[in-house]
């Protein structure tokens, strides 16, 4: 029943892509293993990244299991879906337990998706990464595949209204597995470098690039916050959350 539910969701998503008239381009599929475990590490610019970031795995006939925040599992609508698809609940207060679950999935030959930035990048660039991706990939002995999604931020991201108008281009780029040494910090730095290089290429080749746009990084001529500014905005958001309200 679980895989039937997953298949139905994939079919519905594909209908949605067609209804939105989206042009979805994927490259680097040869970097995904056809069998055995793998950890795909994705950049994070949108609330819908996991939908598009999972498409390469689906394209090769497999099913990704994403690590996702606990709130999605607690929600009355998304919760049953997340559990039916066997995604992995991440409790920010107990992150190590979710890493253990991911490790078990990988050792059993699953493909697991992770967002090592942990939260959406307001800068639209690669933020500081958590070390969990490098640690569990090395512990499981599986490839760590960097994946960059671009264009999804135009639909649904932080600080901007939703826009599901037709015709948006989405690009998904996979790089070769990141060599791992077992040293968490150097391996995480290598992953960040790989993601940054993929992202730079995705932005430069994006068919609907618009200089000055809010969804383009400042480093590429856009008006998105810089990485330094985004750090301050993220801190303000966390402070507002602790105070019990959202920032205006």
């Amino acid at each position: 029943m679980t895989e039937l539910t997953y298949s139905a969701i994939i079919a519905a998503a594909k209908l949605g892509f067609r209804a939105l008239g989206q042009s979805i381009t994927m490259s680097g599929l040869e970097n995904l293993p056809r069998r055995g475990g793998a950890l795909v590490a994705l950049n994070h610019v949108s609330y819908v990244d996991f939908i598009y970031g999972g498409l390469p795995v689906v394209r090769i006939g497999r099913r990704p299991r994403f690590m996702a925040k606990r709130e999605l599992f607690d929600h009355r609508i998304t919760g049953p879906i997340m559990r039916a698809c066997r995604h992995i609940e991440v409790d920010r207060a107990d992150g190590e337990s979710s890493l253990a679950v991911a490790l078990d999935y990988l050792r059993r030959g699953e493909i697991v998706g992770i967002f090592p930035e942990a939260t959406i990048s307001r800068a639209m660039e690669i933020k500081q990464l958590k070390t969990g991706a490098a640690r569990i990939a090395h512990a499981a002995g599986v490839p760590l595949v960097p994946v960059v999604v671009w264009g999804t931020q135009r639909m649904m991201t932080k600080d901007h209204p939703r826009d599901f108008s037709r015709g948006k281009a989405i690009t998904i780029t996979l790089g070769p597995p990141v060599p791992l040494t077992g040293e968490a910090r150097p391996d995480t730095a290598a992953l960040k470098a790989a993601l940054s290089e993929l992202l730079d290429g995705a932005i430069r080749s994006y068919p609907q690039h618009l200089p000055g746009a809010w969804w383009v990084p400042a480093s590429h001529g856009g008006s998105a916050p810089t990485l330094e500014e985004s750090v301050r905005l993220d801190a303000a958001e966390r402070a507002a959350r602790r105070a019990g309200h959202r920032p205006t």
Side-chain angles (χ1 to χ4, degrees):
M1 184 63 71
T2 295
E3 296 307 314
L4 287 175
T5 300
Y6 211 148
S7 296
I9 291 169
I10 290 170
K14 289 179 178 179
L15 287 174
F17 302 149
R18 287 197 289 271
L20 291 171
Q22 293 177 341
S23 170
I24 302 176
T25 304
M26 283 183 264
S27 61
L29 286 176
E30 68 276 6
N31 294 303
L32 279 178
R34 267 50 182 179
R35 57 179 60 87
L39 184 66
V40 293
L42 300 97
N43 70 317
H44 205 3
V45 292
S46 165
Y47 291 110
V48 295
D49 286 335
F50 73 98
I51 297 174
Y52 293 85
L55 287 179
V57 182
V58 172
R59 178 68 63 87
I60 66 169
R62 303 189 66 182
R63 298 287 183 265
R65 315 297 176 182
F66 276 96
M67 301 182 71
K69 61 184 180 181
R70 181 178 182 178
E71 289 84 348
L72 289 173
F73 289 81
D74 290 339
H75 193 276
R76 63 183 181 85
I77 296 176
T78 59
I81 295 173
M82 297 298 285
R83 285 186 287 273
C85 294
R86 293 178 50 228
H87 294 309
I88 301 168
E89 179 179 341
V90 177
D91 184 347
R92 291 174 182 171
D94 185 20
E96 290 301 316
S97 63
S98 60
L99 295 184
V101 174
L103 182 60
D104 179 61
Y105 274 41
L106 292 167
R107 286 174 171 164
R108 288 191 278 123
E110 298 272 14
I111 293 183
V112 173
I114 188 172
F115 294 97
E117 294 170 280
T119 58
I120 288 174
S121 173
R122 288 179 159 96
M124 309 299 166
E125 298 189 73
I126 306 301
K127 302 197 308 182
Q128 191 68 31
L129 306 186
K130 305 293 186 181
T131 62
R135 288 191 287 125
I136 61 176
H138 183 266
V142 300
L144 177 59
V145 182
V147 180
V148 158
V149 179
W150 189 247
T152 54
Q153 74 276 25
R154 299 173 62 192
M155 291 185 287
M156 189 177 180
T157 193
K158 288 186 176 183
D159 306 329
H160 296 278
R162 300 176 185 180
D163 180 5
F164 289 95
S165 55
R166 289 176 52 82
K168 290 182 176 62
I170 307 295
T171 62
I172 308 163
T173 312
L174 294 81
V178 176
L180 299 175
T181 66
E183 297 292 331
R185 292 188 183 279
D187 288 349
T188 300
L191 173 60
K192 184 177 181 182
L195 287 170
S196 296
E197 183 177 356
L198 290 175
L199 181 60
D200 181 72
I203 295 171
R204 292 181 185 277
S205 63
Y206 188 63
Q208 297 173 346
H209 182 72
L210 184 61
W214 63 262
W215 47 269
V216 175
S219 62
H220 284 264
S223 56
T226 64
L227 282 167
E228 292 76 14
E229 290 168 340
S230 70
V231 168
R232 292 193 291 272
L233 291 169
D234 289 346
E237 181 183 30
R238 289 192 298 270
R241 189 181 297 118
R242 287 194 298 270
H245 61 83
R246 296 184 62 85
T248 57

